[in-house]
Amino acid sequence: MKIIGATCFSLRIPFVEAFGHSASVRARSDSVVVRLTAEDGTVGYGEGLPRPYVTGETVESCIDHIAQCLWPAIADSDFPALEPGPAAFRVLDPVGRNLPDGDAGGVVAWHAARAACELALLDVLLRRQKQSLGEILRPRRGSVTYSGVITSGSIDNAVRLARVCVEYGLQAVKIKIDGDDARERVTAVRDAVGPDVSLRVDANCAYTPDEAVATLDALAALDIACAEQPIPRGDPEALANVRSRSPIPIMADESLVTLADAEALIQAGACDFFNLRISKCGGLARTLEIARMADRAGLQLQLGCQVGESAILSAAGRHVAAHLERVSFVEGSYGNMLLVEDVTEESIAFDLGGQAPLLRGPGLGVDVRDDILRAHAETTTTLAAG
């Protein structure tokens, strides 16, 4: 099958409430949606969220990379039908092989661009075949359970959000920390949610190694499941040193972007958890490969999300979360709880208790509305009219 049309939308969907952590305060989605059209008229959609502090990409550089590197390769390819099989990563391989990495050009990896194109290709291929992504990523559970997140900001606001999580019946919550008030902040949240809710903390690279250890020591008595990325991305040995001194298990996030990152973290013994994010890790195939590496190394997994994902990436995440054999925490699928308007006919947001059903429709399982894309697109770039 040939792909004859491609359009990139730079989406700026406002948030219901600003979302902050140590690396950024964000009030809109800032994502790139790719629409691909097959020669028979079938249309598919993919999404990536470029973040300079994660992969080094911006929205503008991401679209340029798609236009200059990924779209020419897609246009030159003839894609075979996807045949479900026992190993999902092998089924996805024919798509991945047609997406070159290109020159790094100063970024960590062009992974948001790659994820957007890979998801759009999978969506259009599967829709053409009238198959669901769930037939490729065969689910190992009948539903997906999501956790909540408490953004940075005042402690009073953290307590307010903690009470919202309790009202939703969420059994796991992540708290953003970034300063000297971490113990007071987490204590207030623990008091609000009670002893039975699983709490984890995320520093988004906020501390030096010594500051990280001191902070985690102060939180040890509060029953914290894990601490996500306490120090900046860099030498895995530095994170390994923090892990060796920390009373709380360590999760790698910004340190984990590429397959090479995963190997280096495993070799250094740098962490107890990997945080997978589809856009950060470069799409489904690479996300699943990193998950396999973690499984072989005995590491635990979180399937995370980029703040501001629309229903497109949320749908892909739902399929991955249902497919992974072992996943401790799942994030995302906030839908209209975060975005003033999502891009699909159906709601992707989780329900009470963090529960969300499997998606069984063709492709990614959601129907994207072009009118909403156009309404919230800051720019629309047509690469081929198709």
Side-chain angles (χ1 to χ4, degrees):
M1 181 193 69
K2 300 289 288 185
I3 304 296
I4 61 171
T7 303
C8 295
F9 301 89
S10 62
L11 284 193
R12 301 291 194 271
I13 304 177
F15 289 172
V16 173
E17 180 176 332
F19 188 101
H21 55 70
S22 66
S24 177
V25 176
R26 192 168 296 282
R28 61 186 190 181
S29 60
D30 292 306
S31 67
V32 172
V33 169
V34 172
R35 180 179 65 198
L36 296 179
T37 305
E39 57 190 346
D40 67 350
T42 305
V43 175
Y45 298 84
E47 181 182 22
L49 274 71
R51 297 292 183 259
Y53 53 87
V54 179
T55 62
E57 299 161 282
T58 65
V59 168
E60 294 74 22
S61 70
C62 179
I63 292 175
D64 186 64
H65 183 73
I66 292 170
Q68 300 300 321
C69 181
L70 295 176
W71 167 243
I74 293 169
D76 285 345
S77 300
D78 191 357
F79 293 92
L82 296 174
E83 299 292 340
F89 69 95
R90 290 199 178 93
V91 178
L92 300 175
D93 187 58
V95 172
R97 281 202 310 265
N98 288 283
L99 296 175
D101 287 313
D103 185 358
V107 303
V108 177
W110 293 107
H111 275 182
R114 182 185 182 89
C117 290
E118 184 210 58
L119 291 176
L121 281 168
L122 290 171
D123 195 35
V124 71
L125 286 167
L126 289 167
R127 284 179 180 276
R128 187 171 182 268
Q129 298 170 207
K130 296 180 172 55
Q131 288 182 311
S132 166
L133 180 59
E135 295 176 60
I136 305 297
L137 305 185
R138 293 174 179 172
R140 291 184 166 92
R141 49 194 59 84
S143 63
V144 174
T145 303
Y146 289 86
S147 65
V149 62
I150 294 173
T151 70
S152 63
S154 71
I155 292 175
D156 286 346
N157 192 53
V159 170
R160 177 184 68 84
L161 292 172
R163 289 172 178 156
V164 171
C165 290
V166 171
E167 290 173 5
Y168 261 83
L170 302 182
Q171 293 302 303
V173 175
K174 182 166 82 175
I175 313 161
K176 298 288 186 177
I177 59 172
D178 60 9
D180 296 333
D181 68 347
R183 180 178 174 82
E184 183 183 2
R185 180 181 180 79
V186 177
T187 298
V189 171
R190 172 57 79 194
D191 290 343
V193 302
D196 297 328
V197 171
S198 172
L199 290 185
R200 57 199 193 279
V201 297
D202 182 6
N204 288 105
C205 311
Y207 300 109
T208 67
D210 287 343
E211 289 170 344
V213 173
T215 300
L216 299 182
D217 278 339
L219 299 179
L222 296 171
D223 190 20
I224 305 303
C226 61
E228 187 175 329
Q229 199 64 44
I231 65 173
R233 174 184 171 87
D235 185 355
E237 296 292 344
L239 191 59
N241 177 265
V242 171
R243 181 192 180 208
S244 71
R245 296 187 287 152
S246 171
I248 296 172
I250 300 297
M251 179 184 292
D253 181 16
E254 284 87 349
S255 290
L256 176 68
V257 175
T258 67
L259 297 173
D261 287 340
E263 183 61 35
L265 290 164
I266 290 168
Q267 290 297 319
C271 55
D272 305 279
F273 287 79
F274 274 177
N275 183 28
L276 309 174
R277 292 192 275 175
I278 293 169
S279 178
K280 176 190 74 168
C281 295
L284 296 184
R286 291 186 176 180
T287 298
L288 293 176
E289 179 57 29
I290 292 174
R292 292 175 67 235
M293 295 169 71
D295 188 60
R296 291 194 295 266
L299 301 182
Q300 299 180 70
L301 293 174
Q302 172 177 285
L303 182 66
C305 70
Q306 305 282 168
V307 177
E309 290 181 2
S310 80
I312 299 169
L313 259 173
S314 293
R318 181 82 52 85
H319 286 289
V320 173
H323 174 74
L324 290 173
E325 187 170 354
R326 297 181 302 107
V327 59
S328 299
F329 306 105
V330 182
E331 299 177 336
S333 276
Y334 297 113
N336 290 342
M337 290 186 284
L338 179 61
L339 303 173
V340 297
E341 186 174 35
D342 211 338
V343 302
T344 56
E345 291 284 353
E346 51 280 280
S347 172
I348 201 73
F350 58 76
D351 208 338
L352 294 177
Q355 294 298 303
L358 302 186
L359 301 172
R360 302 187 184 278
L364 298 181
V366 290
D367 295 313
V368 176
R369 289 178 51 182
D370 275 1
D371 61 322
I372 298 178
L373 291 181
R374 289 192 295 268
H376 292 288
E378 186 169 87
T379 64
T380 300
T381 305
T382 300
L383 305 179

